[in-house]
Amino acid sequence: MGNVSPGNAPIGVFDSGVGGLTVFREIMRQMPNERIVYFGDTARVPYGSKSRDTIVRYSRQIVRFLLTRQVKTIVVACNTASAYALDDLEKEFDVPMIGVVKPGAKVAAKASRNGRIGVIGTEATIGSSIYSQYIEALKSDAAISGKACPLFVPLVEEGLWEDPVTEEIARRYLAELIDIDIDTLILGCTHYPLIRSTIGKIMGPDVTMVNPAYETAQELKQMLAETGLLNSEQPGLGRDSYQFYVSDKADKFIHFANSIIKYGILSAKQINIEEY
């Protein structure tokens, strides 16, 4: 009866668009036996400039959709949705969930030597002060400085990862964090690891970069192990290990996903998320 064990069920991962693929990539690397269902809300990206109520409503619809795919756990692979919707979702749905904020905050609190920690993210994530709340609970003397970088998401989605225009905008955004001598920087949006080298070049070698995507996959693995939901069996050949769904522009998504994951993603199915 191997096929019906709860561990065999897939992991659900969702994001406002393609940024969550950085989380997907980490889960894939760290847990090769797991099946994953990914949903990118490409019709309604970006979330970072939307209101809390809208973000909660969108997230709720996506969780309902993922539950129709019989997922065993849900990863909210979007910092904005983790900041605004995760608490509501956990109360409402009976499925274990994990966001990307707490794992990143934990590592930053541990990594910082001088207690000056920078967070870059969308306007909504920075406005929520959620990273500050988590970090201060772990490291009461920390000084956290947030900086919204709204242009990074469209630049990443356009594929301008190592373009002079991205570097120029990054220099402007990051200048004030350099001035206050932070020693740790949280990439508080799942799109940002894709321009990590540009950000790293500007911040210099003395600043530790925290990529919540990596930390989230680590924490997810631990959670699945503790709850007995880790899949111990390798998926059989021909098994559909990875499924992708989007709310718009499937072709553009596939092209982009292949540049991030290098897995050979052949299809992404477009669904009407408003029906859920």
Side-chain angles (χ1 to χ4, degrees), residues 230-249:
L230 201 60
N231 193 0
S232 52
E233 303 165 33
Q234 278 186 305
L237 279 175
R239 281 291 294 283
D240 203 0
S241 295
Y242 305 127
Q243 292 173 23
F244 299 89
Y245 295 89
V246 292
S247 48
D248 199 15
K249 293 191 176 161

Side-chain angles (χ1 to χ4, degrees), residues 14 47 54-63 81 85 89:
F14 81 86
Y47 281 13
T54 299
I55 293 159
V56 171
R57 182 167 62 85
Y58 288 178
S59 300
R60 215 177 253 140
Q61 290 175 329
I62 296 166
V63 169
L89 297 173

Side-chain angles (χ1 to χ4, degrees), residues 38-274:
Y38 182 92
F39 178 80
D41 200 357
T42 46
R44 305 185 294 195
V45 68
Y47 281 13
S49 51
K50 304 210 167 41
S51 71
R52 180 184 186 280
D53 288 351
T54 299
I55 293 159
V56 171
R57 182 167 62 85
Y58 288 178
S59 300
R60 215 177 253 140
Q61 290 175 329
I62 296 166
V63 169
R64 284 191 202 118
F65 163 69
L66 287 172
L67 290 174
T68 67
R69 314 257 53 86
Q70 276 80 50
V71 296
K72 62 184 173 185
T73 180
I74 290 177
V75 180
V76 184
C78 168
N79 283 264
T80 302
S82 294
Y84 282 135
L86 185 58
D87 286 350
D88 290 21
L89 297 173
E90 285 184 322
K91 286 186 192 108
E92 207 172 311
F93 297 99
D94 189 24
V95 61
M97 294 191 196
I98 184 171
V100 285
V101 174
K102 269 185 195 166
K106 258 187 219 168
V107 171
K110 214 181 283 178
S112 178
R113 298 173 306 283
N114 69 11
R116 288 194 281 275
I117 298 169
V119 183
I120 51 176
T122 64
E123 291 166 62
T125 300
I126 299 303
S128 75
S129 301
I130 188 152
Y131 274 104
S132 305
Q133 290 163 29
Y134 283 143
I135 293 167
E136 280 161 7
L138 297 164
K139 192 183 181 83
S140 55
D141 59 342
I144 298 112
S145 307
K147 175 71 185 166
C149 304
L151 290 171
F152 281 171
V153 169
L155 288 166
V156 166
E157 298 236 342
E158 286 304 318
L160 301 171
W161 302 354
E162 294 188 359
D163 193 274
V165 71
T166 304
E167 189 171 331
E168 174 57 34
I169 286 167
R171 281 190 191 282
R172 289 190 194 189
Y173 280 153
L174 299 169
E176 62 192 69
L177 295 177
I178 293 170
D179 288 348
I180 55 175
D181 194 29
I182 61 165
D183 74 353
T184 305
L185 180 65
I186 299 175
L187 305 179
C189 170
T190 46
H191 284 72
Y192 297 0
L194 299 168
I195 51 170
R196 183 183 181 149
S197 60
T198 300
I199 295 168
K201 187 163 96 178
I202 294 163
M203 296 309 296
D206 296 336
V207 175
T208 303
M209 299 273 198
V210 175
N211 172 8
Y214 175 81
E215 312 306 340
T216 301
Q218 293 253 302
E219 201 147 304
L220 174 67
K221 189 175 186 176
Q222 197 179 332
M223 180 179 93
L224 292 177
E226 283 166 7
T227 51
L229 290 174
L230 201 60
N231 193 0
S232 52
E233 303 165 33
Q234 278 186 305
L237 279 175
R239 281 291 294 283
D240 203 0
S241 295
Y242 305 127
Q243 292 173 23
F244 299 89
Y245 295 89
V246 292
S247 48
D248 199 15
K249 293 191 176 161
D251 293 352
K252 189 177 178 187
F253 175 86
I254 293 164
H255 174 74
F256 199 97
N258 280 317
S259 66
I260 297 178
I261 293 176
K262 316 259 191 289
Y263 167 75
I265 294 158
L266 301 173
S267 69
K269 196 170 175 190
Q270 187 173 322
I271 60 156
N272 180 6
I273 194 64
E274 297 283 1

